Amino acid sequence: MAGPSEATLLEELGYAEDLDRDEMGAEIRKRFLIAGGGAAVLGLLGFIPTSSHRVPEEPSSYFLTPVIRSLFILDEIDYSIKKGRWKKELDLVQNILAKPNYFKKNIMSAAQTLTNDKDWKTAEGLGREISENVRALDYREFFQTESPTDEQGKFLLSGVQECTEKINQYLGLFPPSEVRKAQAEADRTKPAVARDTFDYQE
């Protein structure tokens, strides 16, 4: 589902007349949280399960490795936005969502490794929210544009920060030993991923 246009977003926020810059920033962050079809609203209203809880054979670290690698890529997205390298920004977003990290599949699978149903529900709800927020970093889909404005760029930067903070919150739901294993594997595989991801040329 396509996101709102800039004109619609700013009109809804009342930016032109009613909001100062700080208020606009707060409203944009709130809007970003519900960008992908209300995922954050689900988190506020309570978790609504969409799948059964089936603990996989693989350990948490197996699925958390690409999630942590995505944090590296979010850093690159932040840099690309600040430099106005929009083609690269799109490429990096796809490197999180699709090959090589398949973010949604892995973050949802990691949640399944939590044996306690309450922890699983919390992790799955948060994982769904983060997945939609990452998808909202695709400005072509969210803003329906090929070249974001300065205000749209600021919005995207706030989105990158939101995604980073939420991923770190998500990782806190898992045993520290599993997170450390995943971090070590992500660090080990980062050079190989970087060859395909960080050296992108426009």
Side-chain angles (χ1 to χ4, degrees):
M1 179 178 178
S5 66
E6 181 193 32
T8 301
L9 175 61
L10 297 182
E11 180 180 353
E12 290 179 4
L13 294 179
Y15 170 67
E17 298 179 358
D18 300 329
L19 295 181
D20 62 24
R21 291 280 172 170
D22 291 340
E23 290 172 327
M24 176 192 168
E27 287 295 325
I28 279 181
R29 286 191 293 273
K30 182 170 68 177
R31 181 58 180 266
F32 188 88
L33 283 173
I34 61 172
V41 174
L42 287 179
L44 292 173
L45 296 180
F47 173 72
I48 301 175
T50 58
S51 62
S52 59
H53 188 192
R54 299 177 180 175
V55 179
E57 295 181 1
E58 298 87 350
S60 301
S61 58
Y62 178 83
F63 302 108
L64 291 177
T65 295
V67 174
I68 292 175
R69 278 203 306 258
S70 296
L71 287 172
F72 304 154
I73 301 176
L74 284 168
D75 286 342
E76 292 293 317
I77 291 174
D78 183 272
Y79 180 79
S80 296
I81 293 170
K82 290 175 179 176
K83 294 295 183 180
R85 297 176 181 173
W86 297 114
K87 290 181 181 179
K88 182 173 184 178
E89 194 266 2
L90 287 176
D91 186 71
L92 292 167
V93 171
Q94 288 307 307
N95 272 278
I96 293 178
L97 295 175
K99 185 179 179 179
N101 293 296
Y102 299 104
F103 187 82
K104 185 173 184 178
K105 176 183 177 181
N106 282 299
I107 202 168
M108 300 302 279
S109 295
Q112 291 276 1
T113 67
L114 295 170
T115 56
N116 179 281
D117 277 353
K118 181 179 179 181
D119 293 340
W120 160 62
K121 291 178 181 179
T122 299
E124 181 163 291
L126 185 55
R128 189 182 303 114
E129 176 186 331
I130 298 167
S131 297
E132 296 298 344
N133 285 351
V134 171
R135 187 168 66 86
L137 295 175
D138 182 340
Y139 59 82
R140 290 183 305 186
E141 179 179 350
F142 192 80
F143 286 117
Q144 299 290 296
T145 184
E146 293 295 328
S147 182
T149 65
D150 289 345
E151 291 299 335
Q152 290 169 347
K154 292 176 183 177
F155 173 84
L156 292 168
L157 285 173
S158 72
V160 172
Q161 181 180 353
E162 193 72 45
C163 289
T164 299
E165 291 174 356
K166 289 291 184 179
I167 290 174
N168 284 321
Q169 179 183 342
Y170 177 88
L171 293 173
L173 299 172
F174 293 84
S177 60
E178 288 298 303
V179 176
R180 287 194 295 269
K181 290 177 184 177
Q183 181 71 60
E185 182 64 12
D187 289 338
R188 187 186 71 80
T189 56
K190 180 180 178 180
V193 174
R195 283 197 296 272
D196 297 328
T197 305
F198 301 157
D199 294 334
Y200 176 90
Q201 297 296 320
E202 295 191 47

